[in-house]
Amino acid sequence: MPCRGRRRRGEQDGYLTHTRQGRSNQYRIQTGTLLRHPADSNLTVGDLLSLLAQHDRRHGDQDAQRQTEPSHAGGPKADH
């Protein structure tokens, strides 16, 4: 789904609002909106963002290091 569709869906579901300011848009996350999936129905958008932030604080350094390490999936390359 293109970004435009995700934004529109977020607005329709009440997770996101936007206002036009000159030539740009300002987006606001509605942190008090309840998540719509039945398994998550007692959690708000703010709760989800808080969980993601906690994950990043605990694992962010490890994830960033993994992304910068060279990949050796193809094995060593031979010089020709």
Side-chain angles (χ1 to χ4, degrees):
M1 179 185 297
C3 284
R4 190 176 323 138
R6 287 188 184 107
R7 179 190 50 85
R8 190 173 300 134
R9 179 72 181 262
E11 288 179 301
Q12 289 172 349
D13 291 342
Y15 301 130
L16 179 70
T17 61
H18 89 278
T19 54
R20 186 90 172 148
Q21 296 202 340
R23 288 196 245 169
S24 61
N25 291 311
Q26 181 179 24
Y27 295 92
R28 293 192 182 269
I29 297 171
Q30 302 302 313
T31 57
T33 302
L34 291 172
L35 299 177
R36 64 186 180 125
H37 191 278
D40 302 321
S41 62
N42 62 338
L43 293 174
T44 64
V45 171
D47 295 332
L48 176 61
L49 293 174
S50 178
L51 288 170
L52 293 172
Q54 287 175 22
H55 177 272
D56 283 353
R57 282 192 297 272
R58 290 184 189 143
H59 304 286
D61 292 338
Q62 295 168 357
D63 291 343
Q65 183 179 5
R66 251 184 270 145
Q67 290 176 0
T68 59
E69 290 176 355
S71 174
H72 300 292
K77 294 185 179 188
D79 292 331
H80 293 276

